[in-house]
Amino acid sequence: MINLEKKKSINLTQAVPSLNNVRVGLSWDDVQINGKSPDCDASVFMLGENGKVPNDKYFVFFNNLSSEDNSVIHNGDNRTGASVGDDETIDINLSQVSSLCVQMIVTITIHNIDEGFNFDATINPSVRIYNSINNSIICQYELSENFSGCDSLIIGRLYRNGSDWEFEAMGQAFSGGLEATVDLYCK
């Protein structure tokens, strides 16, 4: 397993030559405020050459659990981050990804920002890329920065490099929740 740092990449195809099916596991630990937990949501934006989703079906999140080409499957919404291990997972069949898509942006956003939550109330955000065949972790990125006041996090991206797939750790935080992220990639 490789521990990535911000802005570092790994060639997944070279690391695991037969790799076709990956699982993206996202986790975070919550800090309760007034007895409530932040509701973090994982999403994947499948982007074309122009940096936008080809259509809404290439935006996979809690209200659209699979991409139009069925290559990306979201395994459901976890509303607390209280579980051990991955809080939300997304399965990706790399060979099935539409040729319309050259990269996939993986995000975590806080759903209940109207209750005052931001990443101050969420600690230890991380992402792991697994080989789905044997559940082995290929790489992980554990964010160590303070994202105070931010409620949206682009944690990483999977992208095509010729016929290979690579993963880059990103760690870009901003405010505006899922709506601001949709504005970046869908409009």
Side-chain angles (χ1 to χ4, degrees):
M1 175 187 61
I2 295 172
N3 288 308
L4 294 175
E5 295 175 9
K6 186 174 184 173
K7 299 296 181 191
K8 299 296 180 186
S9 299
I10 179 175
N11 186 315
L12 298 172
T13 307
Q14 289 179 7
V16 183
S18 61
L19 187 67
N20 186 49
N21 295 299
V22 298
R23 172 167 280 181
V24 178
L26 296 123
S27 65
W28 55 88
D29 296 325
D30 68 305
V31 176
Q32 291 199 350
I33 298 174
N34 297 324
K36 294 183 180 182
S37 296
D39 177 7
C40 296
D41 295 314
S43 303
V44 173
F45 293 84
M46 301 174 71
L47 307 181
E49 291 284 346
N50 65 354
K52 303 288 183 182
V53 295
N55 68 55
D56 290 348
K57 286 296 202 172
Y58 288 100
F59 165 38
V60 179
F61 70 118
F62 59 86
N63 274 342
N64 180 43
L65 296 177
S66 64
S67 61
E68 183 168 284
D69 59 9
N70 290 313
S71 65
V72 178
I73 307 294
H74 192 300
N75 294 309
D77 189 15
N78 177 339
R79 296 184 180 216
T80 67
S83 63
V84 174
D86 295 325
D87 294 303
E88 292 191 11
T89 59
I90 298 166
D91 292 321
I92 302 173
N93 181 324
L94 297 171
S95 66
Q96 204 171 318
V97 174
S98 170
S99 60
L100 296 172
C101 302
V102 297
Q103 67 176 323
M104 293 175 272
I105 303 294
V106 181
T107 68
I108 300 175
T109 55
I110 297 179
H111 183 71
N112 51 346
I113 57 177
D114 58 332
E115 295 177 12
F117 287 106
N118 58 51
F119 280 109
D120 280 343
T122 307
I123 55 175
N124 301 321
S126 65
V127 61
R128 277 162 295 292
I129 306 294
Y130 297 86
N131 178 345
S132 293
I133 299 301
N134 60 14
N135 255 357
S136 63
I137 299 173
I138 302 167
C139 64
Q140 70 180 10
Y141 172 42
E142 296 177 342
L143 287 82
S144 58
E145 295 176 59
N146 179 348
F147 298 113
S148 178
C150 296
D151 53 41
S152 307
L153 180 60
I154 299 170
I155 200 162
R157 71 181 182 120
L158 290 119
Y159 62 97
R160 295 181 196 262
N161 183 1
S163 61
D164 290 354
W165 281 97
E166 297 192 22
F167 177 78
E168 178 187 11
M170 294 180 73
Q172 290 179 292
F174 53 96
S175 293
L178 187 58
E179 184 177 338
T181 314
V182 167
D183 288 345
L184 279 175
Y185 299 118
C186 296
K187 296 182 179 182

